[in-house]
């Protein structure tokens, strides 16, 4: 029988020394965060007991503590065989910290506890919220304020600071015996931790180069030397040397030349001095109006060195056009967190969608108990939430990300009595936010997003005998209207059986009170495109399934009618009934014919959602993107399927050089697993522009892979094109694993040497994972 060697017990003095080292490391990380001697940070580092709340019967005390890296929280667990990694979560994974009863869990299970002792941690991914109760108001405030400060200060760190913080954390992790020295074995473990495979010969060579003291262990300045070798960016050094003098300085004049020649910056003369003041860390260089290699790297890693045009991070488009002239960020069955058949419904799903810039949310409304309407996916086993709770969530989060109007898309299946309750809830909860009358007496065309700022519009059925929505109300109490039941279209046997048993009707009695909430978005069944002699009212809008909409977009002789229809009317598109797994369709083909409300399942990550978020990060992440002029022109003859000469913009030739990658995350968390990255560049646009090209695979290096590969693309319609960069871990035997991606409109590309800051599967930014590329755009002859 093999004996298990036990670790020798540490003496009291050793324990005290380790504790003191831990305090020093925590203090140093606190300084890096700009939180030196902060009382909230000190409290979190000490930790405290908190009550974790899961249900009305599950409320248990657990110890929570910020670790010395000031990046991770350790949580006590009573589960058997739980791995140490599962007891830790990263500050980077936190989307929000909410005080009081601001989640469904707290609302349901902690009403007996004063709000001032309660707080919730909301995660970026699909992880459940962490609902916690502190023992006192002071403790709760320390946690809320402390976490808020760390998140804010971490976000404000530049890329170099983030890299330094990350590498020092990994070094600390690799130092198994906590002696603040690094043996050759610990160095090799560290390299695996940062996602790079180095053979024994090269590892030993680096180690011997840094081990100036010849003690077989790296410490202090030797570790810093190792850090410099590891973070060296030769590809950037080479660019810097082209524009710098023999003393290692880039003069302001040479920076102007670089910005003008390479970066295609028109305001280079004004930009150069400002960049030196903003990014140059060397005071001597700054006084001399020059830039060092470190300042140059910091500029290239900054927002100004980003591939996405930083001026597009604010609203820059004309927001005074009619509402129908914009693409609108829109969510399908917004209440669902997972699939369409059995998944949970949650107000949290509305909060997540709205904070991602969504401007059109969907509510499927059914009669509930106690005369309170509920929201769920009818005929299915999805859970139910109160209509009133959803309206409260919309009120609280509608305008946190964007000030522009939110559209509530109602699918109403309620009785007349509960419809009246719906109308009452919207009126009393939303108050002045709810649009109940035309803007400035406008009765001939849509108002603009600018005119509708801060307003919530209702899309729904309208009493047909009532005068048009823009002309006020009459005394009609209720009337039958057509019932457009999207839930009944689900291609699932249990749903079909349920629909048959309930005996679905084609009509529904509509209450006047609910009808009165509809002003500019009257839902009507699509009967065909306008007869020029009898045009439909501008405020009438139809919903189309993706297959119906694609047929209209692609059918010969019809596509142009669809484009013209979408100049004056709003069109809403929703996923096909067979998408019970909440998968998504390609939104680009429908944007190409001017469809505005192209609704996707926001809860489902993937290429379609990446492209969607890429389109709507434009124009200040406002949720509204102005359609190109040729999709707004009443005389347009644009055909996305057959590009002919026209006023669609100048054709472009795009040259992309994928140079290198930095700090790509591990896909497999196994200690010995190193990624083999490759980059795919995709163009999404009109059919002629759709394209895909990829780099070679770099084996065993996710830390600083080098590709140096060039690709060219011809872009026929730049205004409709998006560029997507995808990094994957190549696997010869199975499907490649996703590492990260970034998608942006072609018109938001910056030229020259640029960094691409990669996003996770769920669209959240990695702290320091980037691609370094060169971009050049030329007009086609």
């Amino acid at each position: 029988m093999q004996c298990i060697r036990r670790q020798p017990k540490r003496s009291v003095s050793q324990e005290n020394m380790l504790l003191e080292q831990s305090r020093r490391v925590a203090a140093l990380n606190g300084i890096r965060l700009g939180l030196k001697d902060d009382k909230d940070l000190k409290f979190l580092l000490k930790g405290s007991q908190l009550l974790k709340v899961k249900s009305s019967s599950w409320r248990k005390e657990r110890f929570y503590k910020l670790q010395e890296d000031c990046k991770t929280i350790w949580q006590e667990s009573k589960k058997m065989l739980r791995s140490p990694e599962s007891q830790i979560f990263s500050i980077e994974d936190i989307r929000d910290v909410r005080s009081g009863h601001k989640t469904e869990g707290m609302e349901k299970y902690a009403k007996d506890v004063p709000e001032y002792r309660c707080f919730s941690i909301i995660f970026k991914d699909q992880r459940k919220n962490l609902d916690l109760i502190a023992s006192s108001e002071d403790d709760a405030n320390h946690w809320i304020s402390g976490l808020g400060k760390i998140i804010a200060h971490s976000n404000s760190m530049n890329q170099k600071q983030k890299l330094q913080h990350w590498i020092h954390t990994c070094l600390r992790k690799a130092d198994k015996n906590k002696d603040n020295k690094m043996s050759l074995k610990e160095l090799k473990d560290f390299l695996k931790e940062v996602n790079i495979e180095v053979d024994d010969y090269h590892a030993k060579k680096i180690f011997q180069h840094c081990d100036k003291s010849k003690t077989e262990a790296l410490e202090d300045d030797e570790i810093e030397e190792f850090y410099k070798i590891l973070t060296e960016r030769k590809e950037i050094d080479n660019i810097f040397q082209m524009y710098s003098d023999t003393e290692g300085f880039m003069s302001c004049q040479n920076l102007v030349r670089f910005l003008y020649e390479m970066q295609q910056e028109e305001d280079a003369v004004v930009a150069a001095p400002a960049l030196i003041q903003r990014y140059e860390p060397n005071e001597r260089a700054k006084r001399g109006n020059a830039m060092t290699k470190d300042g140059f790297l910091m500029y290239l890693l900054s927002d100004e060195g980003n591939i996405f045009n930083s001026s597009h991070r604010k609203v820059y488009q004309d927001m005074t056009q009619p509402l129908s002239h914009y693409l609108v960020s829109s969510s399908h069955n917004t209440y669902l967190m997972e699939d369409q058949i059995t998944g949970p419904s949650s107000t949290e799903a509305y909060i997540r969608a709205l904070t991602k810039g969504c401007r059109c949310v969907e509510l499927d409304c059914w009669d509930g108990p106690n005369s309170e309407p509920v929201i769920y996916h009818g005929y299915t086993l999805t859970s139910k939430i109160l209509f009133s709770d959803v309206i409260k969530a919309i009120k609280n989060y509608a305008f946190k990300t964007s000030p522009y109007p939110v559209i509530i898309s109602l699918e109403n299946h309620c009785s007349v009595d509960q419809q009246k309750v719906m109308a009452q809830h919207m009126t009393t909860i939303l108050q002045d936010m709810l649009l109940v009358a035309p803007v400035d007496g406008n009765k001939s065309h849509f108002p603009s997003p600018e005119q509708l700022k801060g307003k919530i519009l209702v899309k729904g059925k309208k009493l047909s005998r009532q005068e048009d929505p823009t002309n006020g109300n009459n005394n009609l109490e209720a009337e039958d209207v057509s019932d457009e039941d999207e839930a009944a279209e689900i291609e699932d046997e249990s749903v079909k059986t349920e629909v048959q048993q309930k005996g679905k009707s084609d009509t529904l009695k509509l209450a006047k009170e609910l009808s009165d909430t509809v002003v500019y978005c009257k839902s009507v069944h699509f009967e065909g495109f306008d007869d020029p002699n009898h045009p439909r009212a501008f405020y009438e809008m139809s919903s189309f399934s993706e297959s119906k909409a694609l047929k209209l977009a692609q059918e010969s002789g019809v596509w142009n009618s669809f484009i013209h229809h979408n100049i004056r009317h709003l069109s809403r598109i929703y996923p096909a009934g067979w998408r019970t797994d909440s998968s998504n369709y390609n939104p680009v083909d429908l944007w190409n014919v001017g469809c505005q409300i192209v609704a996707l399942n926001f809860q489902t990550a993937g290429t379609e959602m990446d492209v969607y978020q890429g389109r709507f990060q434009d124009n200040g992440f406002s949720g509204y993107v102005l359609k190109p002029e040729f999709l707004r022109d009443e005389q347009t003859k644009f055909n996305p399927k057959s590009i002919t000469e026209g006023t669609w913009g100048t054709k472009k030739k795009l040259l992309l050089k994928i140079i290198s990658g930095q700090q790509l995350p591990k896909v497999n968390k196994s200690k010995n697993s190193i990624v083999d990255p490759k980059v795919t560049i995709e163009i999404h646009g009109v059919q002629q522009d759709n394209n895909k090209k990829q780099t070679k695979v770099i084996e065993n290096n996710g830390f600083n892979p080098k590709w140096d590969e060039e690709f060219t693309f011809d872009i026929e319609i730049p205004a409709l094109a998006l560029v997507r960069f995808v990094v994957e871990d190549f696997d010869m035997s199975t499907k490649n694993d996703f590492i990260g991606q970034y998608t942006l409109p072609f018109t938001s590309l910056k030229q020259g040497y640029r960094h691409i800051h990669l996003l996770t599967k769920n669209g959240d930014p990695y702290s320091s994972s980037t691609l370094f590329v060169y971009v050049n755009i030329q007009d086609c002859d």
Side-chain angles (χ1 to χ4, degrees), residues 99-115:
S99 60
H101 303 146
K102 299 269 178 38
T103 63
E104 284 179 323
M106 282 301 201
E107 192 72 33
K108 283 181 186 175
Y109 311 128
K111 277 293 195 183
D112 59 314
V113 180
E115 282 205 75

Side-chain angles (χ1 to χ4, degrees), residues 557-685:
V558 175
W559 50 265
N560 198 248
S561 298
F562 206 4
I563 290 173
H564 279 268
H565 174 85
N566 290 327
I567 293 170
R568 192 160 183 265
H569 300 277
L570 291 172
S571 290
R572 175 178 165 271
I573 321 299
Y574 59 90
W578 57 265
R579 295 187 184 275
T580 55
D581 59 349
S582 293
S583 61
N584 280 314
Y585 57 97
N586 178 11
V588 177
D589 291 336
L590 296 157
W591 289 334
N592 289 347
V593 291
C595 294
Q596 304 89 348
I597 302 177
V598 181
L600 293 197
N601 292 304
F602 269 49
Q603 73 273 33
T604 305
T607 303
E608 297 82 9
M609 202 62 214
D610 293 344
V611 169
Y612 206 86
Q613 291 298 86
R615 171 56 73 199
F616 284 106
Q617 71 165 315
D618 195 7
N619 200 30
F621 201 51
S622 63
Y624 285 85
V625 172
L626 186 64
K627 293 191 282 188
E629 206 277 331
F630 56 80
L631 290 178
R632 296 180 275 124
D633 178 11
E634 296 279 1
Q635 307 305 315
T636 189
K637 290 184 170 54
F638 177 70
N639 179 2
K641 293 293 170 188
S642 177
I643 306 301
T644 56
E645 292 299 317
T647 55
W648 330 133
T650 308
K651 296 177 186 177
K652 303 288 184 182
K653 186 174 284 293
L654 170 65
L655 181 143
L656 281 169
K657 185 176 183 181
I658 306 297
I659 301 170
S660 60
Q662 294 76 41
Q663 294 87 58
L664 302 179
K666 278 193 171 195
V667 176
N668 185 332
K669 296 300 180 187
S670 159
K671 177 183 169 183
N672 294 315
S673 173
I674 310 293
V675 301
D676 304 321
K678 71 162 192 168
V679 181
T680 302
I681 307 150
E682 301 169 356
I683 306 295
H684 298 261

Side-chain angles (χ1 to χ4, degrees), residues 135-183:
S135 57
S136 68
E137 184 177 2
D138 281 349
D139 282 10
N141 287 338
H142 279 309
W143 277 102
I144 295 162
S145 178
L147 288 173
K149 287 177 193 173
I150 296 170
I151 292 166
H153 284 257
S154 296
N155 290 341
S156 65
M157 287 170 87
N158 64 47
Q159 288 295 123
K160 194 168 182 184
Q161 289 171 322
K162 287 178 182 177
L163 174 61
Q164 190 178 29
H165 195 177
W166 176 66
I167 285 181
H168 280 278
T169 299
C170 292
L171 283 167
R172 182 82 181 153
K173 202 172 176 182
D175 182 14
K176 298 297 182 190
N177 59 1
K178 306 299 180 201
D179 62 355
N180 281 343
K181 298 177 184 179
M182 184 178 283
S183 66

Side-chain angles (χ1 to χ4, degrees), residues 121-346:
I121 293 173
I122 317 301
F123 294 102
K124 288 178 180 175
D125 51 24
Q126 301 298 322
R127 222 181 316 180
K128 290 180 180 175
N129 299 337
L130 182 57
D131 293 323
L132 299 164
I133 300 172
S135 57
S136 68
E137 184 177 2
D138 281 349
D139 282 10
N141 287 338
H142 279 309
W143 277 102
I144 295 162
S145 178
L147 288 173
K149 287 177 193 173
I150 296 170
I151 292 166
H153 284 257
S154 296
N155 290 341
S156 65
M157 287 170 87
N158 64 47
Q159 288 295 123
K160 194 168 182 184
Q161 289 171 322
K162 287 178 182 177
L163 174 61
Q164 190 178 29
H165 195 177
W166 176 66
I167 285 181
H168 280 278
T169 299
C170 292
L171 283 167
R172 182 82 181 153
K173 202 172 176 182
D175 182 14
K176 298 297 182 190
N177 59 1
K178 306 299 180 201
D179 62 355
N180 281 343
K181 298 177 184 179
M182 184 178 283
S183 66
L184 178 59
K185 182 182 182 306
E186 286 174 333
L187 179 138
K188 290 197 291 195
D189 285 346
F190 164 78
L191 290 172
K192 286 179 181 175
E193 185 69 36
V194 298
N195 210 359
I196 184 170
E197 182 76 68
V198 177
D199 60 41
D200 288 351
Y201 170 77
H202 282 100
K204 194 168 185 179
K205 198 173 175 184
I206 296 170
F207 186 82
Q208 287 173 342
H209 173 81
C210 297
D211 185 20
K212 309 289 187 193
S213 61
K214 309 297 180 192
T215 57
E216 297 296 311
L218 305 185
E219 50 186 314
D220 300 330
D221 292 344
E222 295 168 338
I223 290 176
E224 285 303 312
E225 176 71 13
F226 171 63
Y227 167 81
K228 282 178 185 173
I229 291 171
L230 196 65
T231 56
E232 195 173 34
R233 296 283 303 274
K234 286 183 180 175
E235 71 275 34
I236 289 178
D237 293 351
N238 293 337
I239 301 164
F240 182 78
Q241 283 168 12
M242 290 166 58
Y243 291 88
S244 61
D245 59 27
T246 53
E247 292 184 19
F249 291 100
M250 184 188 286
S251 67
C252 186
Q253 188 177 355
N254 280 346
L255 179 57
V256 168
R257 198 158 60 85
F258 168 76
L259 293 173
Y260 187 73
E261 294 173 356
M262 292 294 184
Q263 307 297 79
Q264 306 290 307
E265 299 284 8
E266 293 177 2
D267 62 343
V269 175
V270 175
L275 291 175
I276 290 168
Q277 292 304 311
R278 196 171 299 134
Y279 299 114
E280 179 49 56
N282 183 306
E283 287 300 323
R284 181 187 154 208
K286 197 185 280 190
R287 283 195 301 272
N289 205 20
M291 199 173 245
T292 62
K293 191 166 63 177
D294 281 347
F296 187 62
L297 174 59
M298 287 175 73
Y299 149 65
L300 287 173
L301 283 166
S302 75
D303 209 33
E304 276 119 330
N306 199 313
I307 194 169
F308 184 81
N309 189 334
S310 60
S311 68
H312 292 188
R313 294 196 192 282
K314 60 181 186 293
V315 174
Y316 68 96
Q317 296 176 344
D318 178 6
M319 300 302 280
T320 64
Q321 301 266 332
L323 201 62
S324 55
H325 286 192
Y326 299 83
L327 305 180
V328 184
S329 179
S330 307
S331 160
H332 169 250
N333 288 355
T334 314
Y335 47 89
L336 293 177
M337 299 285 280
E338 295 170 13
D339 66 78
Q340 305 282 311
I341 305 295
T342 59
S345 303
S346 172

Side-chain angles (χ1 to χ4, degrees), residues 93 105 120 175 193 205 238 264 301 348 405 414 421 432 450 457 459 463 495-496 516 628 657 720 722 767:
D93 294 335
S120 301
D175 182 14
E193 185 69 36
K205 198 173 175 184
N238 293 337
Q264 306 290 307
L301 283 166
E348 195 62 45
C414 291
V421 175
D432 290 346
E450 190 65 33
L457 286 67
K459 172 192 125 9
L463 295 176
V495 171
K496 287 178 181 176
D516 287 347
K657 185 176 183 181
L720 296 177
L722 295 108
S767 63

